[in-house]
Amino acid sequence: MEYNLNVEGETVAVSVQEEDRDRFSARIGDREYSVEKIGLMDGLLILSVNGKQTGIGIGDPDGGRDVVINGCPCFVNDDSMQPRGRGGRRPAGKASNMVTPPMPAVVVRVMVNEGDTVSEGQPVAVVSAMKMETTLYAPFGGRVVSINAAEGDKVSPGDILVDIEKVGE
Amino acid sequence: MFEKILIANRGEIAVRIIKTCKEMGIGTVAVYSDADSKSLHRMCADEAVHIGGTAPSESYLNADRIIGAAKKTGAGAIHPGYGFLAENADFARLCEDSGIVFIGPPPQVISDLGDKTVARRIMADGGVPVIPGADNSFSGPGELAKQADIIGYPLLVKASCGGGGKGMRVVRHKDELADSLASASSEAKAAFGNGTVYLERYIERPRHVEVQVLADRFGNTVHLFERECSIQRRHQKIVEETPSTALTQELREEMGKAAVQAAKAAGYVNAGTVEFLLDESGSFYFLEVNTRLQVEHPVTEMVTGIDIVRKQIEIAAGRRLELSQADIKPGGHAIECRIYAEDPANGFAPSPGRIACFRPPDGPGIRHDCGVYAGFTVPVEYDPILAKLVVHAENRQIAIERMKNALSGYVMAGVGTAVPFLRDVIDSKPFRKGETFTDFIDTHFPQWQPSIPDRDVAALAFIACEMWGEVSGAKGAETARPGIPTPWETLGHWRL
């Protein structure tokens, strides 16, 4: 079986041959691996890879898995199953062109009203997560079309708190 | 002794306090908010009282509801932990007035030491070295400028009621003073409702060294030696150790004596921490007294063998300290790493979420104080501390190897933590050499990014999961709550 995996934003092509119930062999590039399932312990998967035993923590975020090896987590997903194949790490912060929190958070205040004209970089809302406040800025100049969140609302990345219509387009 | 103690806190510190109470045969009452109905501290206690909404003002900061819970359950004392109401003199007074013992210093001591200028005056009068600076914070800009000339540059403008770096400015030249005074004062006013500022000499490349003290009601005061807490991010400690590599035996004794003197000058009772700044020449200056149990108290417990929470409870119950300074003989070396839900590659931004898989390390000399479990959703409303990993070994070098190995074995999936960052810090040359100053992270790890683990092994592990089925069982739990989007449903691939 062939897998096209995305490991922290890089594609890893794996060719897999199932040996028996607890064993498979795999080839990645010119590297050969023999993998044996030793067991499961409190959610920790114990594998033997080419005779070397490793305990691996597994989390299941949507669309992939967090794999924790030696204390370091990394995100793996299956490119072939997820045609929109997404990278592991979201590019940090400012590139976003919507007013959305970078992490699950609570709205502290919204500083604009519907119909307001805002300029690029103007603070429009403040959210708080775990006692740390983050200010969200207008990604471009324009007019505020709608306010979709109120003080105290729980919000998540992707939720657009303030809808801004670009002016001059 | 108390029959029952209410713990007015949450998370790892509440769990830690409950453990000592149980050892002492004391009943425990947890309080919890809406967001914490499934939290570990709530489940560990003998009894639990729901005190209100998720917002801290409706629960953990709500003095009336906490007192109400203590009365309802018949708790004779309240342990405030750290944060929330721990250094709130009004709360301590309210406990007293309600006939409940507050496990901490007397209210007047809390309020004296909570005001930086009052604390500074008490210490200066008591012969404790303070940073050269102006004592009169109520003077106008003209008077402050005169004081600045006497103190000399660089100097620091600080808010009298401040903390966490707010209302603080470093002034390197005389011509910057007026602007710095104005901006520090307005920032302090916005943050603390009080724009009073004062001046003191700025200490370059200091270390943050603090001394744990214990004092009973009968005037017996001892110290439990120092903790080196210089490694900080956003003015918050993340790695602490004892003993400090910066102290000679002579300096250690001198600082210990100064801490005892500070406690006595303030009329201190119970456990407290005297914080000092230590400069490169070995001079040290009083910074502040934390009138509560510290987050990093376990390193002291590991080297002295003394349970500080037990001492707090005994002192609050009116017992005499049966320890003389000569009885306290620390042994070996201890290091603590704080495990926060945060992303060290992204400015230590908080990363709340659901813990999918959790397996902390164990073994000889490893202690893990923890407030979470696999399956728990870390709320966004509270401090992001999840746990503290502490190691103890016969010397610093072995303690470093023990900590490095323990961090490598620390498995937490679902919520981002600084574990990979902490491992790089512990394993770094400057840390190994003991060159820990408060600018450590800015100097040595300004643009840290995690090293990616072996991609092949990660890919093989993923395939193993696909082949051998669900391993963590995390998804089942989520589908049991349709309609409430979990972070995983709404977050998509976003790496916490």
Side-chain angles (χ1 to χ4, degrees):
Chain A
M1 205 168 19
E2 304 297 318
Y3 284 88
N4 244 337
L5 301 180
N6 188 321
V7 182
E8 282 290 330
E10 261 181 40
T11 303
V12 178
V14 193
S15 166
V16 176
Q17 181 73 46
E18 208 166 337
E19 302 287 341
D20 60 38
R21 248 187 62 215
D22 289 334
R23 237 179 286 264
F24 66 83
S25 57
R27 177 194 286 273
I28 302 173
D30 57 2
R31 301 177 295 282
E32 305 268 2
Y33 292 98
S34 161
V35 180
E36 186 186 354
K37 174 189 175 189
I38 309 293
L40 269 175
M41 195 170 59
D42 297 347
L44 199 65
L45 175 64
I46 314 295
L47 294 181
S48 162
V49 178
N50 288 350
K52 192 167 179 247
Q53 301 196 136
T54 324
I56 296 162
I58 308 285
D60 292 316
D62 193 27
R65 288 181 193 281
D66 259 331
V67 176
V68 184
I69 301 168
N70 291 332
C72 290
C74 74
F75 182 80
V76 185
N77 67 345
D78 190 337
D79 272 354
S80 49
M81 286 164 68
Q82 303 254 329
R84 283 170 297 158
R86 298 174 293 195
R89 220 170 281 277
R90 167 176 290 208
K94 291 164 191 151
S96 165
N97 61 352
M98 24 183 228
V99 179
T100 187
M103 78 278 292
V106 176
V107 177
V108 177
R109 58 185 171 271
V110 178
M111 288 101 100
V112 292
N113 295 305
E114 257 178 51
D116 283 3
T117 303
V118 294
S119 50
E120 185 183 330
Q122 180 180 334
V124 293
V126 176
V127 296
S128 156
M130 307 181 123
K131 286 169 54 182
M132 192 170 128
E133 291 193 355
T134 306
T135 304
L136 306 178
Y137 301 93
F140 39 73
R143 198 176 62 85
V144 176
V145 186
S146 66
I147 307 281
N148 309 318
E151 191 184 315
D153 284 1
K154 273 197 181 190
V155 290
S156 298
D159 295 351
I160 297 171
L161 311 190
V162 176
D163 241 331
I164 301 170
E165 190 179 66
K166 250 186 196 169
V167 167
E169 274 195 334
Chain B
M1 185 46 67
F2 310 112
E3 275 178 24
K4 204 187 266 188
I5 290 175
L6 180 143
I7 296 94
N9 215 299
R10 64 181 300 284
E12 67 86 19
I13 197 61
V15 174
R16 187 260 168 271
I17 294 164
I18 289 168
K19 284 184 178 161
T20 288
C21 291
K22 290 198 171 176
E23 282 178 15
M24 296 176 77
I26 298 170
T28 52
V29 181
V31 292
Y32 65 96
S33 69
D34 285 348
D36 273 338
S37 63
K38 298 271 191 289
S39 65
L40 187 60
H41 80 276
R42 181 254 162 109
M43 299 196 241
C44 285
D46 299 322
E47 291 171 75
V49 181
H50 174 249
I51 49 165
T54 298
S57 59
E58 292 171 23
S59 46
Y60 302 108
L61 284 175
N62 193 309
D64 292 334
R65 295 207 188 145
I66 289 169
I67 299 279
K71 284 188 172 159
K72 187 177 135 195
T73 53
I78 293 180
H79 195 305
Y82 55 71
F84 294 123
L85 296 167
E87 290 174 286
N88 185 318
D90 292 339
F91 178 68
R93 206 165 278 126
L94 186 62
C95 288
E96 261 181 16
D97 295 347
S98 311
I100 295 163
V101 175
F102 176 80
I103 302 175
Q108 190 57 45
V109 173
I110 298 175
S111 69
D112 286 348
L113 295 175
D115 182 316
K116 289 187 181 183
T117 46
V118 174
R120 195 184 144 81
R121 195 159 52 234
I122 292 173
M123 295 309 153
D125 292 349
V128 180
V130 297
I131 298 173
D135 291 318
N136 185 1
S137 59
F138 299 97
S139 40
E143 181 60 28
L144 284 170
K146 267 188 223 156
Q147 290 172 351
D149 286 339
I150 297 165
I151 295 162
Y153 294 87
L155 57 76
L156 204 56
V157 180
K158 288 172 93 174
S160 294
C161 303
K166 281 198 173 130
M168 203 193 276
R169 294 284 184 284
V170 178
V171 186
R172 294 193 178 272
H173 303 286
K174 193 173 180 171
D175 50 6
E176 296 166 4
L177 182 67
D179 283 351
S180 298
L181 284 175
S183 66
S185 177
S186 80
E187 192 173 300
K189 185 138 200 347
F192 314 112
N194 182 336
T196 310
V197 294
Y198 66 99
L199 305 177
E200 64 183 33
R201 187 181 298 159
Y202 178 61
I203 312 281
E204 304 260 15
R205 277 205 111 193
R207 290 176 189 256
H208 180 121
V209 178
E210 59 187 31
V211 178
Q212 175 74 52
V213 294
L214 292 175
D216 68 15
R217 292 182 192 175
F218 310 98
N220 302 306
T221 307
V222 296
H223 69 85
L224 303 186
F225 297 90
E226 81 279 7
R227 293 185 287 259
E228 156 88 51
C229 312
S230 299
I231 301 185
Q232 308 184 352
R233 51 119 183 81
R234 285 201 310 266
H235 301 280
Q236 198 172 39
K237 304 157 189 169
I238 52 171
V239 177
E240 301 98 348
E241 63 180 314
T242 187
S244 165
T245 58
L247 303 195
T248 59
Q249 195 52 35
E250 199 182 3
L251 184 53
R252 176 166 297 118
E253 277 166 25
E254 204 184 322
M255 290 181 80
K257 274 186 195 145
V260 168
Q261 217 171 325
K264 288 192 163 165
Y268 205 88
V269 179
N270 213 288
T273 296
V274 185
E275 295 191 334
F276 294 106
L277 280 183
L278 175 68
D279 73 14
E280 285 179 298
S281 73
S283 297
F284 61 90
Y285 306 97
F286 170 79
L287 195 60
E288 61 178 332
V289 179
N290 290 309
T291 56
R292 55 170 157 83
L293 184 64
Q294 297 275 99
V295 177
E296 61 273 22
H297 75 278
V299 290
T300 300
E301 295 185 328
M302 297 298 261
V303 298
T304 60
I306 292 168
D307 180 338
I308 295 171
V309 173
R310 177 185 281 261
K311 293 291 168 215
Q312 284 191 293
I313 294 169
E314 288 173 354
I315 291 167
R319 292 224 184 137
R320 199 174 274 276
L321 255 185
E322 276 162 18
L323 273 177
S324 70
Q325 194 61 54
D327 296 333
I328 303 160
K329 293 194 178 72
H333 198 97
I335 305 174
E336 172 183 281
C337 285
R338 299 189 187 185
I339 313 294
Y340 286 101
E342 65 185 2
D343 181 359
N346 186 19
F348 296 94
S351 79
R354 183 177 185 281
I355 298 171
C357 170
F358 184 32
R359 201 182 150 84
D362 56 13
I366 294 177
R367 166 173 169 179
H368 186 245
D369 284 18
C370 178
V372 298
Y373 56 90
F376 180 63
T377 299
V378 181
V380 302
E381 290 84 358
Y382 308 118
D383 190 89
I385 195 160
L386 305 176
K388 298 174 321 208
L389 180 61
V390 187
V391 300
H392 182 218
E394 59 193 275
N395 62 41
R396 186 168 189 266
Q397 197 195 329
I398 299 173
I400 287 173
E401 300 309 331
R402 186 160 284 171
M403 180 56 89
K404 187 184 153 194
N405 196 45
L407 288 166
S408 298
Y410 203 106
V411 177
M412 182 176 292
V415 170
T417 70
V419 166
F421 174 79
L422 291 164
R423 203 187 51 189
D424 287 356
V425 166
I426 296 293
D427 199 22
S428 68
K429 263 200 189 132
F431 185 81
R432 284 180 178 273
K433 286 201 271 180
E435 291 169 356
T436 49
F437 301 94
T438 52
D439 61 0
F440 184 90
I441 289 176
D442 290 340
T443 305
H444 302 294
F445 293 90
Q447 293 292 324
W448 182 86
Q449 288 293 323
S451 45
I452 308 284
D454 188 325
R455 285 177 199 276
D456 286 7
V457 175
L460 296 171
F462 179 92
I463 293 164
C465 292
E466 297 292 306
M467 252 181 202
W468 295 316
E470 288 298 324
V471 288
S472 70
K475 284 197 166 143
E478 280 173 13
T479 49
R481 302 187 304 154
I484 306 163
T486 67
W488 297 130
E489 284 156 5
T490 49
L491 270 178
H493 69 294
W494 195 68
R495 269 281 317 276
L496 284 177

